Amino acid sequence: MIFTVQIPVPSILTSLLDYASAAFTPLSMIIIGSNLAGMRRADLKVPPVLGATILLRNLAFPALTIVILKCLGLTGVPLMTTVILAACPVAGLVVLFTLQAKGDARPATVVMSVSTLLSLVTIPLVFSLLDLL
């Protein structure tokens, strides 16, 4: 609302928000890392359903995005930007929301961690597919 209506915000408030927003990403990674460190080796096994979810998220979803956007005639920077966003791993917000809801965050942590590691391979694959089409 403030952005849309262009309400002037005092500089002290904007600097406070800038400092706080810079701390949010490292803080969330610390929380997720501590959750991951507290897990046992047996908890790190990926059940078949979660494995299929990760493959869909990291490979099928970006490939489908490429096909749809190419059919719509999108090219250049808009296409590349959208494909980058589609190829990114599962967001850490899943873990943070699960922790906030006092649920079992182990499956969410495993999915996020494996998805992030797998994205080291799948993102270059997705961009190779983009070059082919």
Side-chain angles (χ1 to χ4, degrees), residues 46-61 111 114 118:
V46 179
V49 172
L50 292 182
T53 302
I54 292 169
L55 287 177
L56 283 172
R57 174 67 182 99
N58 281 35
L59 285 174
F61 179 66
V111 167
V114 172
L118 189 62

Side-chain angles (χ1 to χ4, degrees), residues 13-85:
L13 185 59
T14 57
S15 64
L16 175 70
L17 291 174
D18 286 340
Y19 288 130
S21 65
F24 289 146
T25 299
L27 185 60
S28 69
M29 291 297 113
I30 289 169
I31 292 168
I32 291 167
S34 68
N35 192 31
L36 185 60
M39 294 173 66
R40 297 170 302 176
R41 187 177 299 262
D43 294 334
L44 297 176
K45 292 184 180 173
V46 179
V49 172
L50 292 182
T53 302
I54 292 169
L55 287 177
L56 283 172
R57 174 67 182 99
N58 281 35
L59 285 174
F61 179 66
L64 182 64
T65 302
I66 291 170
V67 170
I68 290 171
L69 293 179
K70 286 280 194 169
C71 288
L72 292 174
L74 201 63
T75 59
V77 174
L79 174 66
M80 292 294 246
T81 305
T82 308
V83 171
I84 288 171
L85 291 173

